[in-house]
């Protein structure tokens, strides 16, 4: 899909269509760094977005990922009332990082060259200790460890926002946000999936989990009494809520046809394999919580200092989503289209 898009259109055409912005590249042969920083928009403030370090099939796929993720961050900040623009960095993970300190220091120096227009943070394939290494070379980094004076891992806030999003979906479809007995199928029991499962269990929800790692599945069974399925079968689970918390692009036409859940509400970024899938979801009568709205908790936590305000905003994801679900029904528009429209209006208004 990604390569297909890049082959049809030139990079600048794609970037212009997505209303970018800046795209920066850096290589550092000594440490093996191959980094891309995408800055989508800075109308609301400096661009903020995580640093992803994963393997890619091609450079085109990495660039396209950076573009989509940075655009998502712009929309996420806008719709969450955060005074930041959207950016993202993608590090094309080498087979082996020989010296992790040198690698992330080289990336930190790259971030610093942008003079604060881009602020980096933890994301897939990076940890708070990597953020500490970046902080040796730049102050434009958040989610450093508590030891380094940072606020640590934002995932529990992301998970809490996802929980509030699930409650909004249940409220919209059943008229009550009581999760007792509600069956949630979680794809991916990593940082977000784990904290989400913990909160869901406390509220009496029933869980099914799938993960690449058997030890994660075992932990969910032990701690939360979760049932498990093979990862290919998670879409067929007879449940109320499907919560994608693993990776992007999981919602394809084929998957939408298989789902038994009436609600899709999970923490993964870029869940729709392509924007048009939103329409297919709406046609099937499934309630979809747009990814960048429901998973904004981590961004909210790293952007603000006042804990009370952070919790107010994270809990506010419930109302934002209820509003989007209502507009989606009233205007007969897919929920992702409604969310994009609201976010775009906020960004354009700030120009
Ligand atoms: P993570 O790496 O800690 O967890 C991902 C989990 O998914 C891992 O346990 C992995 O084994 C599993 N997994 C991978 N592919 C799978 C598959 N095909 N089927 C089942 N399981 C699979 O990552 P995370 O921090 O929990 O983030 C999860 C998603 O949420 C990502 O898309 C991330 O971009 C997004 N997100 C995370 C945060 C955050 O605060 N951590 C914030 C916003 C968005």
């Amino acid at each position: 899909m990604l390569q297909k898009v890049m082959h049809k259109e030139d990079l600048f055409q794609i970037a212009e269509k997505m209303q970018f912005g800046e795209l920066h590249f850096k290589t550092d042969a000594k440490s093996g760094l191959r980094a891309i920083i995408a800055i989508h928009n800075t109308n609301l403030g400096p661009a903020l977005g995580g640093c992803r370090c994963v393997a890619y099939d091609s450079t085109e796929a990495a660039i396209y990922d950076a573009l989509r993720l940075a655009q998502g961050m712009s929309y996420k900040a806008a719709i969450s009332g955060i005074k930041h623009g959207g950016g993202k960095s993608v590090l094309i993970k080498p087979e082996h990082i020989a010296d992790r300190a040198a690698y992330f220091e080289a990336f930190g120096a790259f971030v610093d060259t942008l003079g604060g227009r881009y602020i980096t943070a933890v994301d897939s394939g990076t940890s708070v200790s990597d953020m500490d290494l970046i902080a040796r070379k730049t102050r434009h980094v958040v989610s450093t460890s508590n030891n380094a004076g940072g606020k640590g891992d934002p995932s529990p806030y992301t998970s809490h926002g996802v929980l509030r999003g699930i409650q909004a979906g249940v409220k919209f479809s059943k008229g009550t946000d009581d999760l007792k007995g509600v069956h949630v199928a979680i794809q991916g029991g990593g940082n977000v999936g784990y904290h989400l499962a913990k909160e869901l269990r406390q509220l009496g929800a029933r869980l099914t989990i799938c993960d690449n790692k058997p030890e994660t599945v075992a932990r969910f069974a032990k701690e939360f009494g979760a049932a498990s399925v093979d990862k290919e079968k998670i879409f067929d689970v007879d449940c109320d809520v499907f919560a994608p918390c693993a990776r992007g692009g999981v919602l394809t036409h084929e998957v939408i046809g298989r789902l038994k859940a009436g609600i899709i509400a999970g923490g993964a970024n870029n869940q729709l394999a392509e924007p048009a899938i939103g329409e297919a979801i709406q046609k099937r009568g499934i309630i979809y919580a747009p990814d960048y709205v429901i998973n904004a908790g981590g961004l909210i936590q790293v952007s603000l200092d006042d804990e009370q305000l952070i919790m107010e905003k994270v809990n506010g994801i419930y109302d934002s989503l209820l509003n989007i679900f209502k507009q989606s029904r009233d205007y007969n528009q897919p929920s992702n289209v409604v969310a994009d429209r609201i976010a775009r209006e906020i960004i354009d208004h700030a120009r």
Side-chain angles (χ1 to χ4, degrees):
M1 161 70 196
L2 308 180
Q3 276 88 341
K4 257 196 259 160
V5 176
M6 298 279 301
H7 283 162
K8 262 196 274 173
E9 287 177 295
D10 131 304
L11 175 58
F12 278 107
Q13 285 176 319
I14 297 168
E16 280 161 11
K17 213 183 254 179
M18 293 172 84
Q19 299 181 301
F20 267 82
E22 303 169 34
L23 201 49
H24 302 265
F25 296 87
K26 171 78 184 171
T27 60
D28 178 56
K30 226 167 123 196
S31 64
L33 180 77
R34 285 180 169 185
I36 303 159
I37 295 178
I39 298 179
H40 179 256
N41 192 289
T42 53
N43 284 6
L44 290 163
L48 173 61
C51 167
R52 175 167 288 203
C53 181
V54 295
Y56 284 90
D57 291 340
S58 68
T59 303
E60 285 79 10
I63 295 170
Y64 191 69
D65 211 19
L67 290 170
R68 277 190 73 185
L69 289 162
Q71 185 190 45
M73 289 307 295
S74 270
Y75 288 9
K76 189 186 301 198
I79 215 157
S80 310
I82 297 295
K83 297 281 176 221
H84 275 292
K88 202 84 181 184
S89 43
V90 164
L91 311 187
I92 302 177
K93 192 177 176 186
E95 238 170 65
H96 175 62
I97 301 175
D99 181 343
R100 209 160 171 100
Y103 185 82
F104 281 100
E105 282 179 18
F107 175 64
F110 177 33
V111 170
D112 206 57
T113 61
L114 299 176
R117 285 207 311 293
Y118 168 67
I119 302 163
T120 197
V122 72
D123 202 272
S124 298
T126 59
S127 64
V128 289
S129 53
D130 296 328
M131 297 305 115
D132 292 353
L133 298 171
I134 293 168
R136 291 179 185 173
K137 297 291 176 186
T138 184
R139 61 192 175 86
H140 306 300
V141 54
V142 290
S143 61
T144 49
S145 69
N146 300 123
N147 290 343
K151 295 199 283 183
D153 180 16
S155 304
Y157 293 83
T158 304
S159 307
H160 185 66
V162 174
L163 175 88
R164 298 294 288 144
I166 290 174
Q167 285 178 317
V170 172
K171 171 83 180 169
F172 192 73
S173 64
K174 298 188 196 243
T176 164
D177 51 19
D178 185 359
L179 296 184
K180 208 156 184 215
V182 169
H183 185 185
V184 184
I186 304 177
Q187 181 190 41
N191 290 320
V192 175
Y194 176 79
H195 295 289
L196 172 65
K198 198 172 184 176
E199 289 207 56
L200 283 169
R201 198 62 202 120
Q202 281 162 359
L203 295 175
R206 195 154 64 85
L207 305 178
T208 297
I209 179 75
C210 79
D211 198 283
N212 286 343
K213 300 177 196 147
E215 64 272 22
T216 299
V217 172
R219 188 182 185 194
F220 271 63
K222 186 163 176 256
E223 293 188 28
F224 311 127
S228 64
V229 285
D230 184 84
K231 66 182 178 131
E232 302 307 326
K233 297 268 161 61
I234 193 75
F235 310 115
D236 305 315
V237 175
D238 194 358
C239 60
D240 301 294
V241 182
F242 172 56
C245 297
R247 56 185 183 84
V250 291
L251 301 177
T252 60
H253 283 292
E254 197 252 340
V255 161
I256 298 310
R258 278 166 65 184
L259 283 183
K260 299 203 171 62
I263 299 165
I264 302 170
N269 278 317
N270 290 346
Q271 291 171 26
L272 305 179
E274 50 184 300
I277 302 285
E279 211 173 302
I281 294 175
Q282 192 198 19
K283 278 201 180 124
R284 271 218 56 201
I286 297 174
I287 293 165
Y288 168 61
D291 41 23
Y292 62 79
V293 184
I294 191 170
N295 72 14
L299 171 70
I300 293 168
Q301 188 251 4
V302 299
S303 310
L304 301 170
D305 290 325
D306 180 342
E307 186 63 25
Q308 197 183 333
L309 184 60
I310 290 171
M311 286 317 292
E312 264 170 37
K313 279 201 179 289
V314 176
N315 282 320
I317 289 172
Y318 178 91
D319 285 329
S320 297
L321 282 170
L322 273 184
N323 175 38
I324 289 168
F325 298 150
K326 279 184 192 135
Q327 289 201 36
S328 170
R329 182 192 56 202
D330 295 349
Y331 299 120
N332 193 24
Q333 260 185 343
S335 57
N336 59 310
V337 174
V338 172
D340 284 1
R341 175 173 44 75
I342 296 172
R344 212 45 267 166
E345 278 168 11
I346 296 168
I347 293 167
D348 290 346
H349 187 71
R351 188 175 288 158

